[in-house]
Amino acid sequence: MFPKEVYINRRNRLKELVNSGVAIILGNENAAYNYPANEYHFRQDSNFLYFFAINKPHFIGVIDFDEGKDIILGDDFEIDDIIWMGPQPSVSELAKEVGVEYIGKYTDIYKIVDDAKAKGKKIHIVPPYRGEHINFYNDVLKDDYKKYISEELIKAIVELRSVKDEYEIKEIEKAIEVGYEMHVTAMRMCKPGIVEQKIAASVEAIPIANGGRISFPVILTQNGETLHNHYHGNILQSGKMMLTDAGAETAMGYASDFTRTVPVSGKFDQRQRDVYTIVLNANKKVIELSRPGVKYLDMHLEAARVIASGLNDLGLMKGDIDEAVAVGAHALFFPHGLGHMMGLDVHDMEGLGEDYVGYDENVKRSDQFGLAYLRLARELKPGFVLTDEPGIYFIPALIDMWRKEGKFMDFINYDEVEKYKDFGGIRIEDDLLITENGCEVMGKKIPKEIDDIEQIMKA
Ligand code: GLY
Ligand code: MN
């Protein structure tokens, strides 16, 4: 937990941003996976962590904007629970740690909601993402919960959580340190004949050994053309590339997220070198240009131009590069967005609504294939933490479909592209902190230059 003043300050700033009413910040429950007492690893809700910090199930945070009051609702454990769980802090002890003066029982939420309604106060909630939250809200509000989802609260939370303070940056750096170990381990283990799951298991053990967890299910595959490939059953083959997209989450819930792609053989062949260099140049272009005031949409388009230009040089694309990118022809190879915010969620705040986090009144989401998936497009500000993750993929089904449809024949050299259908995919992902004048690649640098990767794989 950060010092309690951090949480008091966050709640006070929220009170400055939301005019009136009562916000319910609902913590998470334990979730069963195959029978009631067999539970998933507990993950607290990130908004609850941000404002109330208590990393345990069955708590509700209430912020009364009219009375300037913060309340934590939860239940003390009985001896029957303590026998199984060991000694537990009381609700009042936990509340004190985060600077909250008022506490109540979990079921006091019914009275708080009824009182607020009776006084005509607005009740603010954020969109629930778990079934039990929907049931909880419908029950407590005695109404359709959707009517209470508050744009005012969502926007205020996004404003606060988007800019990371010094404590959060340090915590993200811890997650990055662990992410470094995960990726270097994957590089060292990668060799022909080893099954992917053996490496994936070693990668996943590292954040656990460091007191945390993975920040999302590990992607580790020699079929990197499938963007989120969680299948780890292939035996690595020489001539393929292994794509690892993985990150750590610290015990406090802060994430890292990196992708590296390496040749299974330990040495890049010419084709791999050529395509890899284009992706690396796109990743570096974004690092060079990202700074306060630029739109991440423009960074995405810069990366797309580097990719289109590189593929032109290889003979896979043709025609004018700006025109090709403007119509979205490059998206055959780069069909996803450049990156996303990162913090207490690996896709930070995505549960509040991607458009609230990554877009604003000045930048609206495109409906063009590829660009439509861009999670972060808005103007950058100091303190934003985000990912820079361009890629080039050869997706046989997409190539066949576009070719059949005769799509972008002026920009794509399909005969050449056919020759790469066995290639797979390459993504390179770093975590960036936007500073006052530019940006920095956060934390210990995971090798991404060709020579450095070959060196580490040889060792
Ligand atoms: N690293 C997985 C993702 O950003 O979607
Ligand atoms: Mn990512």
Side-chain angles (χ1 to χ4, degrees):
M1 210 178 267
F2 300 135
K4 70 176 173 205
E5 288 70 28
V6 170
Y7 301 100
I8 294 171
N9 185 33
R10 287 173 180 177
R11 294 190 300 265
N12 287 343
R13 288 183 60 209
L14 189 70
K15 286 173 205 145
E16 284 164 18
L17 294 172
V18 180
N19 271 328
S20 61
V22 176
I24 302 173
I25 310 285
L26 186 56
N28 277 340
E29 298 295 325
N30 272 319
Y33 71 92
N34 58 338
Y35 57 88
N38 207 19
E39 290 156 347
Y40 288 103
H41 163 72
F42 174 70
R43 178 51 159 87
Q44 184 56 287
D45 174 76
S46 296
N47 294 311
F48 190 88
L49 281 177
Y50 188 80
F51 292 109
F52 292 98
I54 301 170
N55 202 350
K56 292 173 181 296
H58 206 56
F59 282 93
I60 306 169
V62 175
I63 301 177
D64 188 323
F65 300 110
D66 301 318
E67 295 179 31
K69 225 165 128 181
D70 307 325
I71 311 165
I72 286 179
L73 305 178
D75 299 327
D76 284 330
F77 287 99
E78 309 282 341
I79 187 68
D80 283 356
D81 304 304
I82 290 167
I83 291 166
W84 293 92
M85 300 164 67
Q88 298 294 318
S90 67
V91 175
S92 96
E93 284 165 338
L94 291 168
K96 215 171 271 168
E97 281 183 46
V98 290
V100 170
E101 207 177 318
Y102 300 95
I103 60 169
K105 290 203 166 308
Y106 193 85
T107 49
D108 288 353
I109 192 66
Y110 289 94
K111 187 172 161 9
I112 289 172
V113 166
D114 290 347
D115 281 356
K117 282 188 167 181
K119 288 181 186 151
K121 290 186 181 184
K122 184 174 162 121
I123 295 168
H124 305 262
I125 69 169
V126 295
Y129 52 88
R130 289 189 178 192
E132 75 254 23
H133 287 183
I134 293 173
N135 293 341
F136 167 89
Y137 283 131
N138 283 338
D139 182 42
V140 166
L141 297 163
K142 300 181 190 76
D143 200 354
D144 179 2
Y145 76 92
K146 292 193 200 81
K147 292 187 206 161
Y148 299 82
I149 293 175
S150 162
E151 193 171 54
E152 191 183 0
L153 179 62
I154 291 170
K155 286 185 167 169
I157 294 176
V158 168
E159 185 169 335
L160 295 179
R161 281 183 57 188
S162 293
V163 177
K164 273 63 182 177
D165 64 26
E166 58 186 308
Y167 295 101
E168 294 184 288
I169 290 166
K170 278 210 186 86
E171 198 60 27
I172 293 169
E173 280 168 350
K174 279 191 212 163
I176 288 175
E177 184 91 17
V178 180
Y180 173 92
E181 287 303 324
M182 293 162 80
H183 281 273
V184 167
T185 298
M187 286 180 197
R188 289 199 174 116
M189 287 182 78
C190 178
K191 60 175 183 207
I194 190 169
V195 63
E196 293 162 344
Q197 61 212 20
K198 217 169 172 125
I199 309 177
S202 297
V203 166
E204 185 156 350
I206 293 168
I208 298 173
N210 281 279
R213 295 270 153 179
I214 44 172
S215 53
F216 60 96
V218 169
I219 296 166
L220 187 148
T221 177
Q222 64 181 356
N223 298 128
E225 74 280 8
T226 301
L227 301 183
H228 279 178
N229 197 337
H230 299 296
Y231 177 72
H232 302 141
N234 298 305
I235 294 169
L236 292 182
Q237 285 168 24
S238 192
K240 300 288 289 180
M241 296 192 85
M242 181 183 80
L243 182 153
T244 307
D245 183 349
E249 175 174 287
T250 65
M252 285 182 66
Y254 284 86
S256 63
D257 181 9
F258 292 101
T259 309
R260 289 292 183 268
T261 314
V262 302
V264 170
S265 69
K267 259 197 124 29
F268 286 78
D269 66 26
Q270 193 55 48
R271 215 168 58 145
Q272 291 169 340
R273 191 174 276 269
D274 291 342
V275 179
Y276 187 90
T277 303
I278 300 170
V279 180
L280 186 59
N281 288 342
N283 163 281
K284 286 181 179 171
K285 188 79 181 172
V286 173
I287 295 166
E288 181 195 319
L289 297 177
S290 291
R291 59 186 149 77
V294 305
K295 294 190 179 89
Y296 215 51
L297 168 66
D298 293 330
M299 297 300 95
H300 174 96
L301 295 172
E302 286 285 351
R305 276 191 283 274
V306 173
I307 287 169
S309 159
L311 292 174
N312 252 32
D313 295 343
L314 288 185
L316 299 173
M317 290 187 74
K318 56 188 176 180
D320 183 80
I321 286 152
D322 290 339
E323 275 177 41
V325 168
V327 295
H330 65 283
L332 176 62
F333 310 99
F334 177 35
H336 62 74
L338 177 64
H340 50 85
M341 292 269 208
M342 193 185 80
L344 273 168
D345 308 298
V346 68
H347 290 178
D348 210 22
M349 302 171 277
E350 202 162 284
L352 294 173
E354 226 173 75
D355 284 356
Y356 288 115
V357 180
Y359 292 80
D360 58 21
E361 52 290 342
N362 301 318
V363 192
K364 297 287 164 223
R365 190 184 286 270
S366 160
D367 56 9
Q368 187 184 81
F369 175 78
L371 198 50
Y373 298 131
L374 180 59
R375 294 192 159 97
L376 174 62
R378 63 189 272 213
E379 193 176 299
L380 303 179
K381 289 187 182 168
F384 281 15
V385 170
L386 44 97
T387 66
D388 164 18
E389 49 180 310
I392 293 181
Y393 313 87
F394 296 91
I395 306 168
L398 189 63
I399 295 167
D400 290 347
M401 191 178 108
W402 278 30
R403 184 166 207 176
K404 209 164 127 204
E405 289 172 1
K407 226 169 151 170
F408 301 129
M409 300 303 273
D410 294 342
F411 298 112
I412 294 165
N413 194 348
Y414 283 101
D415 285 342
E416 269 313 297
V417 175
E418 287 290 334
K419 298 178 192 161
Y420 284 73
K421 270 176 156 176
D422 62 341
F423 185 94
I426 293 176
R427 179 162 65 252
I428 303 173
E429 176 176 23
D430 286 316
D431 301 336
L432 309 185
L433 168 66
I434 303 303
T435 57
E436 289 301 324
N437 303 311
C439 76
E440 63 184 48
V441 180
M442 293 181 78
K444 200 165 165 183
K445 309 294 173 280
I446 302 171
K448 64 180 177 183
E449 298 296 335
I450 287 178
D451 287 349
D452 295 340
I453 289 172
E454 289 183 346
Q455 196 61 35
I456 211 163
M457 291 182 79
K458 197 160 77 184

